[in-house]
C-alpha cells in the first residue's frame, strides 16, 4: 500500500494524539500513572503516520462488533 | 531472619575447583555399609554427606536426620570424560576454533560485529541463540586460521561422545577427552563471549569432567525392605559403577597396562558417567538394574509427566478426597451427590466441640465406626486419639468443650465434585452429600453436560472442604444452582438430556388424558399439594400436569423445534415441550425461570422436571429397536427407484457429457472439478431424497423419529443412514480417489468415474453394506477418527496457553480489566461491560421483553 494511505483504510481505526490536559483527565479518571496505559510501539505504522512521539498518548476509536463504538488509549513507547 | 530479594538467577557450569570446594567428602570406595551396619567412611553413604539413619548425626553440620539437608561429596575421576549433556556443544566449539591456537575462526572485525549483536540482544533480554548459531556457522567455513596460519581439519562427531579428526588424506584420528579438554582450554576468554557464554561462570573445558560431584545421600535415600535388607537408590547404584571402573582404571594404569586395555576402561568410564546423567541416550544401551529394569538416573528423575517438574512440583496430591465410578440417579436433587457409605466413613470433617454441639458430638463419638460416627478425637491439649471398638464409649463420656471431633461425612455436607479434564469452571461444582449404599458416586443426569460426563465408566473426584470459610465460599460461588447459566454462552448448561426430553415431549404431545390416580402417580416424587381442576373432567391433560411444575405467573412464548410454545400465567397453553424448552445448552424455560424467579426456583424446576419426565416415560413405556427402521416394501422400492437409481442415472449422464466434452466448466474450476462437484451434488441430493421418503413412512410415533425431532438424541441424518441410504463417503470433502492408479480398488476399471467406484454407499446400515461399500465407509470413517484425535490434542494445548495468558487478569470496580501490576488491558470489560451470563444473549438488556412486561402488549405485533 502506498504511504499516507493507510489512515484511510477501513480496517485502520481512528488514532488521535491527545492533548496534555486530556491525558491528565484520563489518568485522573482511572487513577493511574501513564505507564499503566496499554502500550503501542513508535514503529507502529499508524503511529509513524500520525507522527506521534514517545510519551504521547493516542486515543483510538474503534468500531466494535459488540459495543458499536469502543474507545481505547495507548502510550507510545520505544 | 533478614528477608532478601532475589535479583536474578545465573546459570553456569561447575568448575572442578568449585566441585571440590563444595564437597564435604572425597569418595573413594564403592561400599556403602560396613559389617557393623554403620556407613563406611569415604564410602558412598558417608556420614559427612548427610544422614538418613535415625539416631545418627551428620559429621559435617552435626544435624540429625531431618535437620541436616545433606552435603555434596566428590569423586576424582582417573581420566577426564565428556559430559553427555554438552557433547553437541563441544563438537560445535571444536569445529569453530583453531586446532592449534584455540581462537575462534573469525576475522577481528567480524567478531566485533557479532559481539555487538549479542550485547544488543542481551540488553533487550532476548535470546542470543540465533546469533550464536550464526557464529558457529560462519566460523567453520574458515579452513585456515587467520591468527596462526594453521590448516584446520574436519571434525566428525560420532554420537554420543566421540570426536574424530579427519585430515585432507582422509586419515582419521580419535580425539580423546584429554585432547578435547586441552583444546577447549586454549580458547581465550575474550572469544568465549562469542558463544554467548560468560567465561567467569562457564569455561568450555568444564564441559569435560575431571571431578564428579556426588549428590548428598538425602537425595538418594536407600529403603529398607521387609526382609531387613537394604535397597539402594538407582543413583547410588550408578555411582557404585562409576567408582568401581574408576578404581580399575587407576590400578591398570599404575600397573602399566597396555594402551588398548586402558582405552577400553576409559570407554567404560565414559559409558557409566554418561548413563549416570541420562539413561536414555540414543545409541547407548541403558544401564540396567539386576532385575533387568533400566535405571532411573538424573535426567529420568526430572523429565516427563512423572518427573520432578511436572510430577512433584506442578502436580500435588491431596487428602480428604475420593474417586470412584459415577452412575445415574434421577431421584436425587441436581445439587446432590450420592456418596457410598464406605467412602463417607473414610472422609472426615473436623468439628470443634462447643456447648451447643457437645451432646450431638457425644452421640456421634458414641456411634464409633458405625456410619454417622467419627474416626478421631483431638483432646483440648492437642493429643489425637483414634476411636476404636474399645474406647468409643469412654471417649464419648470424656468429650468436652474445646475438643475436636473428626466426624464422618453426612447428608447435607458440602463437597466439591470434579471431572477431568477441568476445562471450564463448571467442571468443579459444590454438591450436597447424600450417603447411600453401593460403591459409586450417584449424580443426577441433568448435571452431566457441565462435567461432560456419561456413565460408561467415567470416574469423578470428590473433595471434602475442611474450613468454614471454604464451605461458605463453595456454597456461595460454586453451588450447582449458581452455575445453571453458563458464563460462556449465557444459556443454561444444566438441563434435560435424552429421556428427560423424550419424557416431557411424550407428556405434552397431543392431547393426553390422565385419571386422578395416574396424575398422582406421575407427581409422586414432586412436592405439589393442589391438582387444580381437571381440564376435561374427570381427566387432566398432559400439558396441565407439566404446568403444575411451572412457577405461578410465568409468561413465556417461544418457538420450539416442532411448534410455537405459549405459556400464560404458569399454564402451558399450547405447544410441545422439547429440547429448546428444557434441554441443556438451550432450555428457554429454565433460562427464564432462572432470571425471573432466581436460582432456587430454577433448581426446583429442573428437579421436578427430571422426576416428572422419568416417571412419565416409565409410565408410558418407550423403546427402540432395529425394526423401528423398517420401511414398507413400496417405500424401499421408492428409495431404490426414485432416489438412488435416478441419481445414478444423472451421474452417468454427467460422466457421458464430460467424456463427450459437452460439460461446461463452472467459473474458477477445471472441467474435472466441475464434474466432481456436480456428481457430489447429485449424490448428496439422492441421500436427502431417500431420507425424505423414509421420513414419510416413519411417523412421529416412531421412536427414532421422535427422539430426533424432539432433540433428545440422534438426528434425521442418523435415521436416514439407518433406514434408507448411507450416502457418499468422502475424504477432505471430495469423493474417494486414493488407492491404485486411476481407481480406488481392483474391483473397478481404471478411470471409472461412476458413483460405485468412488465411495457412494447406496445401502442403508440396516440392509448391510457390500464389501466395497464397507471399505469406502472405513476410509471415510478413518478421516473422522484422525480429525477428532488431532483436534482434541491441539485444542487442549491452545486452551492451556490461553488460560496461562489470561489467568491473572481481573475486572476491577471501575470496569477496567487489569493485570497483576495494575496495568490496564481493557478500559471496559469486553468492550461493553456485559457479563454474558447476566445479559440477554449478547445484548445488555432485552428491550422487547421489558416492554412486553410493562405494557402487556406484544412488540411488533
Ligand atoms: Mg465416558
Ligand atoms: Zn549435615
Ligand atoms: Zn590458530
Amino acid at each position: 500500500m502506498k504511504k499516507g494511505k493507510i489512515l484511510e483504510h477501513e480496517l485502520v481505526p481512528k488514532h488521535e494524539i491527545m492533548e496534555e490536559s486530556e491525558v491528565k483527565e484520563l489518568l485522573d479518571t482511572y487513577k493511574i500513572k501513564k505507564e499503566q496505559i496499554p502500550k503501542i510501539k513508535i514503529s507502529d505504522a499508524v503511529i509513524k503516520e500520525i507522527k506521534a512521539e514517545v510519551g504521547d498518548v493516542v486515543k483510538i476509536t474503534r468500531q466494535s462488533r459488540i459495543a458499536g463504538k469502543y474507545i481505547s488509549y495507548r502510550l507510545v513507547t520505544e | 531472619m533478614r528477608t532478601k530479594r532475589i535479583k536474578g538467577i545465573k546459570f553456569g557450569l561447575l568448575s572442578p575447583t568449585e566441585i571440590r570446594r563444595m564437597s564435604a567428602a572425597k569418595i573413594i570406595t564403592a561400599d556403602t555399609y560396613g559389617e557393623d551396619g554403620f556407613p563406611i567412611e569415604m564410602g558412598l553413604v558417608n556420614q559427612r554427606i548427610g544422614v538418613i539413619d535415625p539416631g545418627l548425626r551428620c559429621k559435617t553440620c552435626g544435624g540429625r536426620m531431618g535437620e541436616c539437608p545433606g552435603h555434596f561429596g566428590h569423586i576424582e575421576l582417573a581420566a577426564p570424560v565428556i559430559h553427555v549433556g554438552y557433547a553437541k556443544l563441544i563438537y560445535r566449539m571444536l569445529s569453530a576454533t583453531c586446532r592449534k591456537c584455540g581462537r575462534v575462526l573469525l576475522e577481528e572485525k567480524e567478531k566485533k560485529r557479532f559481539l555487538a549483536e549479542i550485547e544488543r540482544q542481551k540488553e533487550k533480554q532476548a535470546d542470543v541463540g540465533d546469533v550464536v548459531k550464526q557464529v558457529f556457522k560462519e566460523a567453520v567455513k574458515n579452513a585456515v586460521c587467520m591468527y596462526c596460519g594453521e590448516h584446520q581439519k574436519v571434525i566428525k562427531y560420532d554420537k554420543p561422545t566421540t570426536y574424530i579428526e579427519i585430515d585432507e588424506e582422509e586419515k582419521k584420528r580419535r580425539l580423546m577427552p584429554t585432547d578435547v579438554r586441552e583444546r577447549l582450554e586454549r580458547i581465550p576468554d575474550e572469544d568465549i563471549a562469542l558463544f554467548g557464554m560468560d567465561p567467569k561462570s562457564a569455561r568450555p573445558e568444564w564441559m569435560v569432567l575431571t571431578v564428579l560431584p556426588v549428590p548428598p545421600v538425602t537425595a538418594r535415600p536407600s529403603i529398607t525392605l521387609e526382609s531387613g535388607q537394604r535397597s539402594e537408590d538407582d543413583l547410588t547404584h550408578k555411582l557404585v559403577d562409576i567408582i568401581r571402573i574408576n578404581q580399575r582404571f587407576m590400578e591398570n594404569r599404575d600397573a602399566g597396562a597396555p594402551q588398548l586395555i586402558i582405552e577400553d576402561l576409559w570407554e567404560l568410564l565414559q559409558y557409566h558417567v554418561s548413563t549416570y546423567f541420562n539413561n536414555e541416550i540414543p545409541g547407548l544401551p541403558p544401564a540396567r538394574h539386576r532385575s533387568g529394569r533400566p535405571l532411573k538416573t538424573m535426567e529420568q528423575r526430572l523429565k516427563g509427566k512423572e518427573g520432578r517438574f511436572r510430577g512433584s512440583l506442578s502436580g500435588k496430591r491431596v487428602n480428604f478426597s475420593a474417586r470412584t465410578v459415577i452412575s445415574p440417579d434421577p431421584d436425587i436433587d441436581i445439587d446432590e451427590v450420592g456418596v457410598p457409605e464406605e467412602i463417607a466413613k473414610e472422609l472426615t470433617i473436623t468439628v470443634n466441640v462447643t456447648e451447643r454441639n457437645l451432646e450431638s458430638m457425644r452421640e456421634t463419638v458414641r456411634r464409633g465406626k458405625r456410619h454417622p460416627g467419627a474416626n478421631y478425637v483431638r483432646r483440648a491439649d492437642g493429643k489425637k486419639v483414634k476411636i476404636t471398638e474399645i474406647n468409643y464409649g469412654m471417649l464419648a463420656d470424656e468429650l468436652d468443650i474445646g475438643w475436636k471431633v473428626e466426624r464422618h461425612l453426612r447428608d447435607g455436607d458440602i463437597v466439591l465434585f470434579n471431572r477431568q479434564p477441568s476445562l471450564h469452571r463448571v467442571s468443579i461444582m459444590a454438591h450436597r452429600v447424600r450417603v447411600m449404599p453401593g460403591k459409586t458416586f450417584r449424580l443426577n443426569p441433568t448435571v452431566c453436560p457441565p462435567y461432560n460426563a456419561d456413565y460408561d465408566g467415567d470416574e469423578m473426584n470428590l473433595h471434602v472442604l475442611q474450613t468454614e470459610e471454604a464451605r461458605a465460599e463453595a456454597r456461595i460461588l460454586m453451588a450447582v444452582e449458581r452455575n445453571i447459566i453458563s458464563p460462556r454462552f449465557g444459556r443454561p448448561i444444566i438441563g434435560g438430556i435424552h429421556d428427560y426430553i423424550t419424557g416431557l415431549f411424550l407428556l405434552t404431545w397431543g392431547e393426553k388424558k390422565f385419571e386422578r390416580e395416574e396424575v398422582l402417580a406421575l407427581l409422586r416424587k414432586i412436592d405439589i399439594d393442589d391438582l387444580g381442576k381437571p381440564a376435561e373432567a374427570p381427566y387432566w391433560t398432559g400439558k396441565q400436569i407439566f404446568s403444575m411444575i411451572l412457577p405461578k405467573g410465568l409468561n413465556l412464548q417461544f418457538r420450539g423445534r416442532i411448534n410455537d410454545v405459549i405459556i400464560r400465567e404458569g399454564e402451558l397453553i399450547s405447544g410441545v415441550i422439547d429440547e429448546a424448552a428444557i434441554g441443556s445448552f438451550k432450555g428457554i424455560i429454565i433460562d427464564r425461570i432462572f432470571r425471573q424467579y432466581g436460582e432456587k426456583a430454577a433448581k426446583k424446576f429442573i428437579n421436578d422436571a427430571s422426576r416428572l419426565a422419568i416417571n412419565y416415560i416409565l409410565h408410558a413405556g418407550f423403546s427402540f429397536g432395529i425394526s423401528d427402521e423398517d420401511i414398507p416394501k413400496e417405500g424401499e422400492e421408492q428409495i431404490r427407484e426414485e432416489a438412488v437409481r435416478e441419481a445414478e442415472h444423472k451421474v452417468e449422464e454427467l460422466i457421458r457429457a464430460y467424456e463427450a466434452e459437452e460439460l461446461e466448466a463452472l467459473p474458477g474450476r477445471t472441467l474435472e472439478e466441475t464434474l466432481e462437484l456436480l456428481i457430489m451434488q447429485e449424490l448428496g441430493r439422492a441421500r436427502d431424497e431417500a431420507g425424505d421418503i423414509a421420513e414419510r413412512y416413519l411417523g412421529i410415533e416412531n421412536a427414532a423419529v421422535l427422539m430426533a425431532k424432539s432433540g433428545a438424541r440422534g438426528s434425521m441424518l442418523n435415521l436416514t443412514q439407518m433406514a434408507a441410504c448411507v450416502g457418499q463417503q468422502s475424504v477432505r470433502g471430495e469423493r474417494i480417489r486414493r488407492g491404485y492408479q486411476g481407481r480406488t480398488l481392483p474391483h473397478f476399471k481404471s478411470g471409472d468415474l461412476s458413483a460405485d467406484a468412488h465411495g457412494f454407499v447406496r445401502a442403508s446400515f440396516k440392509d448391510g453394506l457390500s464389501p466395497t461399500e464397507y471399505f469406502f465407509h472405513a476410509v471415510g470413517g478413518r478421516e473422522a477418527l484422525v480429525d477428532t484425535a488431532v483436534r482434541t490434542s491441539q485444542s487442549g494445548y491452545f486452551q492451556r496457553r490461553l488460560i496461562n495468558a489470561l489467568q491473572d487478569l481481573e475486572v476491577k470496580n471501575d470496569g477496567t480489566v487489569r493485570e497483576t501490576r495494575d496495568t490496564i488491558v481493557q478500559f471496559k470489560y469486553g468492550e461493553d461491560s456485559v457479563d454474558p451470563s447476566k445479559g440477554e444473549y449478547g445484548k445488555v438488556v432485552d428491550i422487547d421483553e421489558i416492554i412486553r412486561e410493562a405494557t402487556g402488549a406484544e412488540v411488533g405485533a
Side-chain angles (χ1 to χ4, degrees):
Chain A
M1 179 169 290
K2 240 195 207 151
K3 243 196 164 168
K5 285 269 190 185
I6 61 166
L7 293 181
E8 288 159 39
H9 194 281
E10 62 168 357
L11 292 178
V12 177
K14 191 161 93 187
H15 289 60
E16 297 162 283
I17 303 170
M18 291 170 79
E19 299 290 335
E20 206 58 49
S21 59
E22 289 175 306
V23 173
K24 188 170 180 310
E25 206 186 314
L26 175 76
L27 299 183
D28 288 346
T29 315
Y30 292 105
K31 300 193 185 75
I32 49 170
K33 292 190 205 87
K34 230 178 181 180
E35 285 63 45
Q36 286 166 260
I37 302 173
K39 315 284 183 293
I40 191 166
K41 281 216 169 158
I42 187 88
S43 54
D44 181 274
V46 179
I47 294 301
K48 276 199 244 166
E49 205 59 42
I50 63 171
K51 300 201 170 61
E53 280 160 21
V54 171
D56 281 347
V57 177
V58 288
K59 177 179 176 181
I60 301 165
T61 314
R62 258 195 275 275
Q63 290 307 310
S64 159
R65 196 160 50 90
I66 298 154
K69 196 170 106 180
Y70 176 69
I71 297 166
S72 171
Y73 307 91
R74 276 170 189 271
L75 175 70
V76 181
T77 57
E78 261 325 324
Chain B
M1 207 206 287
R2 258 178 67 209
T3 53
K4 290 182 180 176
R5 194 170 269 274
I6 296 171
K7 208 176 136 210
I9 299 173
K10 193 169 186 179
F11 291 95
L13 298 170
L14 283 176
S15 71
T17 341
E18 203 171 346
I19 294 170
R20 285 189 197 106
R21 208 179 37 170
M22 70 183 200
S23 163
K26 183 177 172 187
I27 313 293
I28 49 169
T29 54
D31 303 318
T32 50
Y33 289 89
E35 277 171 20
D36 54 358
F38 283 95
I40 289 179
E41 229 167 279
M42 313 285 267
L44 263 176
V45 184
N46 185 311
Q47 287 188 65
R48 283 194 287 164
I49 60 175
V51 277
I52 48 165
D53 301 270
L56 295 184
R57 270 181 187 280
C58 170
K59 285 189 179 162
T60 301
C61 70
R64 256 193 284 262
M65 187 181 110
E67 297 167 347
C68 162
H71 315 276
F72 271 91
H74 77 280
I75 297 170
E76 292 285 346
L77 293 174
V81 288
I82 307 288
H83 187 311
V84 264
Y86 297 107
K88 187 84 184 280
L89 185 61
I90 291 174
Y91 162 65
R92 292 217 295 248
M93 284 197 179
L94 290 176
S95 311
T97 52
C98 171
R99 61 189 301 272
K100 192 170 154 216
C101 73
R103 303 220 54 186
V104 173
L105 295 166
L106 287 171
E107 294 288 352
E108 209 61 70
K109 68 171 189 295
E110 254 186 305
K111 284 185 181 175
K112 280 223 176 66
R113 185 171 64 83
F114 279 123
L115 282 174
E117 182 59 27
I118 287 171
E119 213 43 57
R120 232 170 56 88
Q121 295 287 325
K122 276 190 178 157
E123 213 142 276
K124 281 199 294 182
Q125 302 205 328
D127 186 26
V128 295
D130 285 342
V131 187
V132 173
K133 224 178 244 166
Q134 209 61 35
V135 171
F136 285 126
K137 212 176 125 195
E138 290 304 316
V140 265
K141 287 182 187 162
N142 296 311
V144 183
C145 177
M146 48 285 280
Y147 301 97
C148 69
E150 174 80 10
H151 279 264
Q152 303 301 315
K153 292 179 182 170
V154 176
I155 291 180
K156 199 176 149 261
Y157 170 45
D158 214 352
K159 274 179 186 172
T161 47
T162 313
Y163 306 98
I164 297 159
E165 205 175 45
I166 308 167
D167 59 18
E168 290 98 76
E169 287 116 50
E170 296 284 311
K171 271 237 286 291
K172 290 178 183 172
R173 189 178 79 91
R174 162 128 192 236
L175 294 176
M176 297 312 283
T178 32
D179 306 319
V180 174
R181 196 164 200 279
E182 269 164 32
R183 282 210 190 178
L184 295 174
E185 274 170 359
R186 280 199 293 265
I187 305 175
D189 273 356
E190 55 272 27
D191 278 10
I192 282 167
L194 282 165
F195 303 136
M197 287 159 58
D198 171 11
K200 279 207 265 333
S201 52
R203 277 288 316 175
E205 66 268 23
W206 299 343
M207 296 187 292
V208 182
L209 299 162
T210 53
V211 188
L212 190 71
V214 175
V217 277
T218 42
R220 44 183 175 88
S222 61
I223 44 168
T224 318
L225 297 174
E226 276 168 52
S227 56
Q229 221 183 353
R230 247 174 219 285
S231 172
E232 292 296 336
D233 188 271
D234 282 4
L235 273 191
T236 309
H237 281 304
K238 207 60 239 180
L239 285 164
V240 167
D241 291 341
I242 293 172
I243 293 170
R244 290 237 169 91
I245 295 301
N246 205 40
Q247 268 170 343
R248 249 170 71 197
F249 187 97
M250 277 190 286
E251 284 160 16
N252 276 280
R253 189 178 51 191
D254 293 348
Q259 187 61 24
L260 220 62
I261 288 172
I262 295 284
E263 264 175 39
D264 276 359
L265 285 172
W266 201 346
E267 199 55 47
L268 207 54
L269 183 65
Q270 175 73 62
Y271 167 78
H272 284 304
V273 175
S274 292
T275 49
Y276 168 69
F277 286 115
N278 178 6
N279 203 17
E280 284 168 2
I281 305 164
L284 270 193
R288 284 174 196 280
H289 191 254
R290 248 170 305 157
S291 65
R293 164 183 67 86
L295 293 172
K296 241 185 159 171
T297 55
M298 285 295 180
E299 199 169 317
Q300 280 64 50
R301 275 191 175 199
L302 308 176
K303 213 175 72 180
K305 203 169 176 188
E306 251 127 65
R308 206 72 337 132
F309 296 103
R310 283 225 274 158
S312 319
L313 292 166
S314 316
K316 300 196 180 68
R317 329 225 122 228
V318 293
N319 288 322
F320 304 104
S321 64
R323 179 186 176 94
T324 185
V325 176
I326 53 164
S327 53
D329 189 339
D331 289 334
I332 64 170
D333 283 0
I334 58 164
D335 66 334
E336 285 186 309
V337 56
V339 180
E341 195 180 299
E342 242 177 292
I343 288 177
K345 277 176 12 189
E346 203 61 50
L347 297 171
T348 58
I349 287 179
T350 309
V351 180
N352 293 311
V353 179
T354 65
E355 56 182 90
R356 285 189 301 280
N357 66 11
L358 180 60
E359 264 325 299
S360 69
M361 276 303 123
R362 281 217 167 115
E363 206 50 53
T364 304
V365 174
R366 195 161 285 129
R367 292 188 65 84
K369 295 258 148 195
R370 286 169 300 153
H371 175 250
N375 291 349
Y376 285 95
V377 292
R378 196 183 283 267
R379 293 173 201 269
D381 60 8
K383 196 164 178 288
K384 202 167 162 182
V385 185
K386 186 172 179 144
I387 299 172
T388 62
E389 289 299 323
I390 304 145
N391 68 2
Y392 64 89
M394 206 175 70
L395 283 173
D397 294 337
E398 232 182 302
L399 196 73
D400 206 356
I401 294 160
W403 285 38
K404 285 171 178 162
V405 177
E406 297 189 3
R407 52 151 256 244
H408 294 159
L409 206 58
R410 286 182 190 167
D411 285 6
D413 282 332
I414 192 144
V415 293
L416 299 185
F417 204 40
N418 162 236
R419 181 182 175 274
Q420 283 100 353
S422 312
L423 295 175
H424 54 189
R425 72 180 207 201
V426 282
S427 291
I428 307 178
M429 289 190 288
H431 288 247
R432 290 181 297 125
V433 168
R434 190 135 149 193
V435 180
M436 296 181 152
K439 287 184 185 296
T440 57
F441 284 137
R442 251 54 60 81
L443 182 67
N444 189 307
T446 49
V447 215
C448 283
Y451 292 117
N452 191 20
D454 47 38
Y455 302 108
D456 60 2
D458 288 28
E459 289 183 57
M460 284 181 74
N461 305 322
L462 182 135
H463 298 268
V464 180
L465 299 167
Q466 293 294 314
T467 66
E468 215 51 70
E469 292 94 321
R471 284 188 283 266
E473 198 169 90
R475 201 169 280 134
I476 292 167
L477 298 171
M478 305 171 76
V480 171
E481 67 258 37
R482 283 266 156 163
N483 289 291
I484 292 172
I485 302 290
S486 164
R488 194 174 75 214
F489 47 84
R491 287 272 171 129
I493 192 168
I494 294 165
I497 50 169
H498 309 164
D499 279 2
Y500 294 79
I501 294 166
T502 311
L504 293 179
F505 185 92
L506 286 171
L507 180 67
T508 54
W509 173 251
E511 291 299 320
K512 295 215 169 60
K513 293 196 183 86
F514 299 90
E515 286 172 13
R516 188 180 157 82
E517 274 62 43
E518 286 178 297
V519 178
L520 288 173
L522 288 180
L523 298 172
R524 189 159 57 90
K525 290 168 182 164
I526 302 164
D527 180 26
I528 282 169
D529 36 48
D530 183 14
L531 295 185
K533 281 198 181 66
E536 294 169 38
Y539 299 113
W540 277 266
T541 66
K543 289 194 170 68
Q544 229 187 333
I545 295 170
F546 177 74
S547 302
M548 290 180 201
I549 64 168
L550 289 173
K552 301 280 159 280
L554 179 73
N555 281 299
L556 185 60
Q557 186 167 356
F558 62 91
R559 174 147 300 173
R561 290 169 65 103
I562 308 273
N563 49 26
D564 283 348
V565 179
I566 302 170
I567 296 169
R568 284 282 167 263
E569 295 301 317
E571 285 289 324
L572 177 61
I573 306 290
S574 70
V576 58
I577 298 304
D578 58 19
E579 193 201 9
I582 53 115
S584 65
F585 299 106
K586 304 219 167 63
I588 292 175
I589 299 180
I590 298 170
D591 184 76
R592 172 58 72 78
I593 293 174
F594 187 92
R595 287 169 205 273
Q596 199 171 325
Y597 297 85
E599 60 199 42
K600 286 276 174 302
K603 177 180 129 187
K604 183 176 181 334
F605 174 72
I606 299 172
N607 280 333
D608 292 350
S610 89
R611 279 160 209 169
L612 178 61
I614 292 303
N615 264 357
Y616 182 67
I617 202 169
L618 283 172
H619 171 84
F622 188 76
S623 68
F624 171 67
I626 197 154
S627 58
D628 277 303
E629 284 112 36
D630 283 345
I631 301 175
K633 271 251 153 27
E634 66 263 34
E636 279 179 11
E637 187 82 358
Q638 240 181 321
I639 290 171
R640 227 177 6 253
E641 294 303 324
E642 283 177 31
V644 178
R645 191 148 305 162
E646 185 76 0
E648 278 171 341
H649 277 313
K650 281 193 181 144
V651 169
E652 277 162 33
E653 179 52 35
L654 282 169
I655 294 167
R656 196 205 52 76
Y658 164 75
E659 277 162 357
E661 291 176 21
E662 287 166 16
L663 202 70
E664 248 179 78
L666 289 167
R669 308 237 174 221
T670 65
L671 212 56
E672 286 72 24
E673 284 169 349
T674 308
L675 177 71
E676 278 300 307
L677 211 73
L678 293 174
I679 292 175
M680 283 281 278
Q681 260 172 26
E682 201 50 62
L683 293 173
R685 193 153 46 226
R687 189 184 60 188
D688 292 345
E689 229 170 273
D692 290 342
I693 294 165
E695 209 179 326
R696 253 179 273 149
Y697 287 95
L698 304 169
I700 190 102
E701 305 79 33
N702 181 285
V705 177
L706 191 142
M707 288 193 286
K709 293 264 155 118
S710 64
R713 193 73 218 249
S715 62
M716 285 316 286
L717 175 64
N718 293 150
L719 202 61
T720 300
Q721 292 193 322
M722 287 189 283
C725 171
V726 174
Q728 179 66 49
Q729 299 302 304
S730 66
V731 171
R732 298 194 174 160
E734 287 174 356
R735 294 207 297 164
I736 289 163
R737 280 196 301 192
R738 50 193 60 198
Y740 301 86
Q741 222 166 55
R743 55 182 168 170
T744 51
L745 282 173
H747 308 64
F748 305 105
K749 287 211 174 79
S750 185
D752 185 351
L753 287 172
S754 72
D756 286 354
H758 288 272
F760 182 71
V761 180
R762 70 160 86 184
S764 67
F765 283 132
K766 203 191 72 191
D767 296 339
L769 275 56
S770 78
T772 51
E773 286 177 334
Y774 188 89
F775 175 76
F776 290 130
H777 187 244
V779 172
R782 183 190 159 89
E783 192 194 27
L785 216 64
V786 170
D787 267 17
T788 42
V790 170
R791 251 205 312 275
T792 44
S793 68
Q794 279 186 344
S795 65
Y797 180 50
F798 280 125
Q799 168 125 4
R800 259 182 39 212
R801 287 174 51 159
L802 201 60
I803 289 171
N804 253 322
L806 302 178
Q807 61 185 357
D808 293 321
L809 301 189
E810 207 176 316
V811 184
K812 300 285 176 176
N813 286 329
D814 62 358
T816 56
V817 180
R818 304 192 188 196
E819 35 106 303
T820 41
R821 285 171 298 177
D822 252 1
T823 304
I824 291 179
V825 175
Q826 255 179 348
F827 283 90
K828 208 174 189 189
Y829 168 68
E831 303 193 348
D832 59 1
S833 285
V834 173
D835 174 351
S837 63
K838 302 280 162 56
E840 298 279 333
Y841 324 126
K843 280 178 291 177
V844 184
V845 286
D846 186 348
I847 293 170
D848 290 0
E849 184 55 34
I850 290 171
I851 295 172
R852 194 181 298 140
E853 229 170 78
T855 65
E858 207 51 54
V859 181

